[in-house]
Amino acid sequence: MTKTSYISKQVADLKPSGIRRFFDLAAQMDDVISLGVGEPDFVTPWNFIEQSFHSLEQGYTSYTENAGMIELRNEISNYLRKNYHLTYDPTDQVIVSVGASQAIDLALRAVIDPGDEVIVVEPSFVAYVPTVRLAGGIPVTIQTRAENEFKLTPEQLEQAITPKTKAIILCNPNNPTGSLLLKEELEQLAKVIEKHDLLVLSDEIYAELTYDDVYTSFPSIADMKKRTILISGFSKAFAMTGWRLGYAAGPTEFIAAMVKIHQYTMMCAPTMAQHAALEAMKNGRQSVLQMMESYKQRRNFIVSSLNEAGLHCPTPGGAFYAFPSIQTTGLSSAEFAEQLLHQEQVAVVPGDVFGASGEGYIRCSYATSLKQLDEAMSRIKRFVIKRRALQSSQ
Amino acid sequence: MKEMEVELLRLIEKNANLEVEKIAKLMGKSTDEIKELIGHLEKKKAILGYSTLIDWAKVLDKEEVTAMIDVKVAPARGVGFDKVAERIYRFPEVKAVYLMSGAYDLSVTVKGKTMMEIGHFISEKLSTLDSVLSTTTHFVLKKYKHDGIILEDEDEGDKRIVVSP
C-alpha cells in the first residue's frame, strides 16, 4: 500500500457523530441511568415477534420483491389512508426499506445531483447532513430557535433558499427537540416550498407519538403530495428498532428511482422483519396506543420534574424527547452532559451534537422506566443544586 | 372525566403502590384532583381494594397449595346459581368463584397450606352441599403468569445501547 490513505476524501472529511463520542464515554461506566437512548424502552409486542417465528417455520427465508412484500405494501397503503388520509398505490408508490434511515439515503441518492443544495433544519437527527454529503449534495442548515419552540418559520426557510436548493428535509415531530409542526404552520411552509418548487423529504418516523394535537402528515397539505417523499417506519411507534424496517411513500417517479438503487445495493428489506411488520400493521394498533399513553405520561412527568429541578423545559408535542435549557447553569451542553455523567451517572445527549442551535440544551429521552426516570430526575436536581451553589460562591 | 378515570385506573392497576404525587405528575393534574378522583372511584366501588401480588415461595419454605375445582351444581328455582355460589364463596379458603359456560358450572379456586387441607375442604364442605352434584379438582403445579405478571421473568434488564441517535 503506497498511498497515504485509501479512504475516500468524502468519507475522510465526514465528522464523526458527537453521539458516538458520548456513547464511548458512557459505555465505560457502571450503573449509568441513560436518558440518551433514541429508541423505545418497550420490547417489540409479542404478537409481532411470534408472527416472525411463524414465518421462519413456514420457510419464508428467501428474498422478497425489491420494493417489499406486496401484502405489506398493501397494509402500509391502508394504514396511511386510514390514519393520515393519504392515498398511495401499493404497487408503485410504496417501498419497504431497511429502517427509515435507508429510506432517507435512497431518497437523497435518487434526487441529488452533485452540487444540489438540501436544506436541513437543525437541531436535527444526526444522519441528515452526512447522508446529504454522501449523496453528493451540499447540506444547508437552518438553525431554529427556542423562542419559536424550535419550529422552522417561513421567513427562515425563505432566507436559506438559493437557486441551487433542490430539497428540504423536514422531521416532524422533531428529534431531538420533540417540537411538533401543526397544520397551519405546515401550510405556511408549503407556500414557500411551492413558490421555490422544492422537493420535500418528510421524515415522519415519530408521527404516531404525538400527544396533544391532531397530527398532520405533510403530503396531506394541499398540493404537497406530488413534491413529497414521505418517510416512516416501524422502529419508534411499533417498538421495532432492531428489526430495521422502514418505508417510503411518494409519487411513482421517486419511488421507482429509489427502488432502482435499492435493488442494486440492498435487494430487499429482511424477510422475517417484513412478516413481523405485517402483523404490526394488521393487529398492532392496541399495542401502539398503550405505548403512546405511557410515553405521554412520562413526558408529563419529565417536563414537570425538569422544571422543578430548575431547567426550563417547555412541553414537547411529540416524539419521546425533552429538550430542556441548561443555560442557567453557566455550562456548555457538552460540559453539562459530561459532568452530569461523571458526578451523577446520568447520561443525556448534549444538544450541540444535533446542530449549533442545540447548544445550551440537552436531549433527555423519556423512553425509560418510570423508576429510572424518577431516579434520574432526583440526580439531575441534585446536580443542578450543587452547580448553583458553586456558581454563587464564585 | 371518564378518560381520566380510565387512565388513572390503568396506572394503579399495574402498580397500586404509585404515590399520588407521581400519578398527578404523570397525568398532568394536581394532587388534589387525583385524590378526589381516587376517593370518587373508591366510593362507587370501581376500586375495590389494593392488594399485593406476592410470590410466597420466595419467603415461606413451602408454597401454599392452590386448587382449581370444577363444580357441577343443580341450580335452584328463582335464584339460579347465585345461592349455591354464595354458600361456596363465603368460605375464607375460597379465593375465587366464577360461573362458567361449558362442561361444568362453577370454577372455584381454593388455597390451603397442604393438599390434605384442601382435600378436607372438598370432602367435608364443598361436595356435601345439597346442590353440588360433582367436583373435579386440579392442583396447580407451577405458576408462570398471574394476573398479567410473569413470575419467573428472566433478565428484564435494559438491552439497549447506552446512547443512540
Side-chain angles (χ1 to χ4, degrees):
Chain A
M1 308 265 274
T2 50
K3 291 198 175 90
T4 40
S5 174
Y6 284 84
I7 303 302
S8 86
K9 190 153 170 11
Q10 181 76 272
V11 172
D13 288 350
L14 277 186
K15 269 194 301 184
S17 161
I19 285 211
R20 186 72 224 173
R21 193 183 73 86
F22 210 72
F23 169 79
D24 293 338
L25 219 59
Q28 291 164 7
M29 299 175 66
D30 293 329
D31 296 324
V32 172
I33 298 182
S34 182
L35 308 183
V37 190
E39 61 178 321
D41 57 322
F42 296 104
V43 171
T44 306
W46 182 250
N47 57 319
F48 311 174
I49 298 175
E50 203 270 342
Q51 187 61 41
S52 182
F53 290 167
H54 180 67
S55 77
L56 291 170
E57 282 166 354
Q58 295 290 306
Y60 287 104
T61 56
S62 43
Y63 298 130
T64 69
E65 280 178 69
N66 293 132
M69 284 164 20
I70 186 64
E71 298 90 333
L72 178 57
R73 283 182 282 144
N74 278 333
E75 289 298 332
I76 291 169
S77 171
N78 289 339
Y79 183 84
L80 294 175
R81 187 174 49 246
K82 214 161 70 189
N83 292 294
Y84 308 115
H85 317 293
L86 296 165
T87 351
Y88 288 107
D89 185 341
T91 59
D92 59 1
Q93 298 189 321
V94 176
I95 175 175
V96 178
S97 57
V98 181
S101 294
Q102 193 220 355
I104 294 164
D105 184 35
L106 289 176
L108 286 167
R109 283 200 277 164
V111 301
I112 289 177
D113 281 319
D116 284 343
E117 290 180 1
V118 177
I119 293 174
V120 175
V121 186
E122 289 188 335
S124 81
F125 176 51
V126 296
Y128 299 144
V129 165
T131 314
V132 170
R133 286 232 166 86
L134 288 169
I138 299 166
V140 174
T141 57
I142 297 179
Q143 303 301 324
T144 57
R145 309 251 154 257
E147 58 264 32
N148 299 328
E149 302 167 63
F150 290 107
K151 291 180 181 185
L152 174 65
T153 66
E155 297 75 30
Q156 282 187 304
L157 176 57
E158 186 79 57
Q159 278 169 18
I161 295 170
T162 75
K164 285 186 182 159
T165 310
K166 189 166 214 174
I168 170 170
I169 304 176
L170 277 180
C171 179
N172 194 37
N174 182 267
N175 171 12
T177 62
S179 162
L180 174 70
L181 289 162
L182 300 176
K183 190 170 187 216
E184 315 79 69
E185 292 156 340
L186 292 171
E187 281 168 347
Q188 294 306 312
L189 295 173
K191 281 182 197 160
V192 184
I193 286 162
E194 179 88 54
K195 184 177 149 198
H196 294 278
D197 199 22
L198 303 185
L199 178 70
V200 178
L201 266 61
S202 191
D203 182 349
E204 306 191 12
I205 188 76
Y206 292 100
E208 290 89 347
L209 306 181
T210 48
Y211 308 113
D212 310 304
D213 303 287
V214 177
Y215 181 74
T216 306
S217 176
F218 190 76
S220 72
I221 302 282
D223 299 325
M224 287 299 113
K225 196 175 153 221
K226 60 177 189 286
R227 56 174 72 251
T228 304
I229 302 174
L230 168 66
I231 288 159
S232 192
F234 297 88
S235 291
K236 313 293 176 172
F238 296 88
M240 293 179 70
T241 44
W243 300 79
R244 306 311 303 124
L245 212 66
Y247 59 86
T252 312
E253 180 195 2
F254 297 126
I255 299 301
M258 289 167 72
V259 171
K260 206 192 261 182
I261 306 170
H262 187 65
Q263 70 187 353
Y264 291 127
T265 57
M266 193 63 71
M267 275 311 249
C268 66
T271 305
M272 68 272 247
Q274 292 192 53
H275 281 275
L278 193 55
E279 174 67 12
M281 289 272 98
K282 283 181 177 165
N283 301 309
R285 193 68 193 158
Q286 201 50 41
S287 305
V288 172
L289 291 175
Q290 275 172 18
M291 291 189 272
M292 270 169 69
E293 179 173 85
S294 172
Y295 289 133
K296 180 178 179 176
Q297 289 167 346
R298 288 180 281 170
R299 176 198 66 164
N300 295 340
F301 184 84
I302 198 172
V303 167
S304 76
S305 303
L306 286 167
N307 281 305
E308 272 169 34
L311 299 179
H312 176 65
C313 182
T315 304
F320 38 60
Y321 307 109
F323 203 62
S325 163
I326 47 102
Q327 286 157 15
T328 54
T329 62
L331 297 170
S332 72
S333 298
E335 286 166 345
F336 185 98
E338 257 170 67
Q339 291 183 21
L340 180 67
L341 183 62
H342 284 124
Q343 290 176 29
E344 296 287 353
Q345 291 77 48
V346 175
V348 297
V349 183
D352 64 318
V353 310
F354 303 102
S357 52
E359 177 51 53
Y361 299 83
I362 52 170
R363 188 191 76 174
C364 307
S365 164
Y366 50 84
T368 300
S369 73
L370 180 62
K371 203 173 159 195
Q372 294 263 298
L373 210 52
D374 194 25
E375 174 61 23
M377 289 302 115
S378 315
R379 293 187 192 181
I380 288 179
K381 193 171 179 177
R382 192 163 60 203
F383 176 81
V384 173
I385 290 170
K386 262 196 239 162
R387 177 68 205 159
R388 290 275 149 77
L390 199 68
Q391 276 174 296
S392 56
S393 70
Q394 277 169 355
Chain B
M1 190 61 182
K2 175 101 186 285
E3 262 173 38
M4 249 178 84
E5 287 183 0
V6 172
E7 187 180 353
L8 176 104
L9 290 172
R10 273 206 290 254
L11 274 172
I12 60 175
E13 186 186 27
K14 273 180 266 174
N15 179 8
N17 203 21
L18 205 56
E19 298 95 324
V20 172
E21 292 71 24
K22 256 182 217 145
I23 298 172
K25 265 182 155 183
L26 287 164
M27 290 179 55
K29 306 283 174 201
S30 72
T31 50
D32 284 346
E33 278 176 292
I34 298 300
K35 276 184 194 155
E36 203 188 308
L37 193 58
I38 291 176
H40 169 71
L41 288 165
E42 285 173 345
K43 214 166 142 195
K44 75 168 185 186
K45 295 208 167 179
I47 298 174
L48 297 165
Y50 301 89
S51 63
T52 310
L53 188 64
I54 298 168
D55 187 352
W56 285 105
K58 296 259 164 70
V59 187
L60 304 173
D61 299 336
K62 273 186 284 181
E63 200 186 355
E64 284 191 310
V65 181
T66 304
M68 295 164 93
I69 311 164
D70 309 342
V71 186
K72 278 188 191 163
V73 298
R77 199 179 183 102
V79 290
F81 295 98
D82 297 355
K83 211 67 204 169
V84 59
E86 184 182 353
R87 280 291 290 274
I88 296 170
Y89 67 60
R90 291 221 175 260
F91 286 106
E93 51 270 66
V94 172
K95 300 302 169 191
V97 177
Y98 307 116
L99 178 62
M100 309 297 286
S101 66
Y104 58 95
D105 305 303
L106 296 174
S107 168
V108 177
T109 306
V110 180
K111 272 191 184 174
K113 287 198 183 67
T114 59
M115 240 190 243
M116 283 265 284
E117 198 176 280
I118 290 178
H120 185 260
F121 170 79
I122 295 165
S123 59
E124 293 298 313
K125 309 288 182 192
L126 190 61
S127 51
T128 53
L129 290 172
D130 284 344
S131 40
V132 171
L133 304 174
S134 75
T135 62
T136 311
T137 304
H138 312 278
F139 284 101
V140 174
L141 300 181
K142 182 173 179 178
K143 284 183 193 163
Y144 293 100
K145 189 177 186 180
H146 185 82
D147 269 356
I149 303 210
I150 297 167
L151 272 76
E152 291 285 342
D153 220 354
E154 290 161 26
D155 179 25
E156 278 274 80
D158 201 334
K159 297 178 179 71
R160 300 175 297 170
I161 55 173
V162 204
V163 180
S164 60

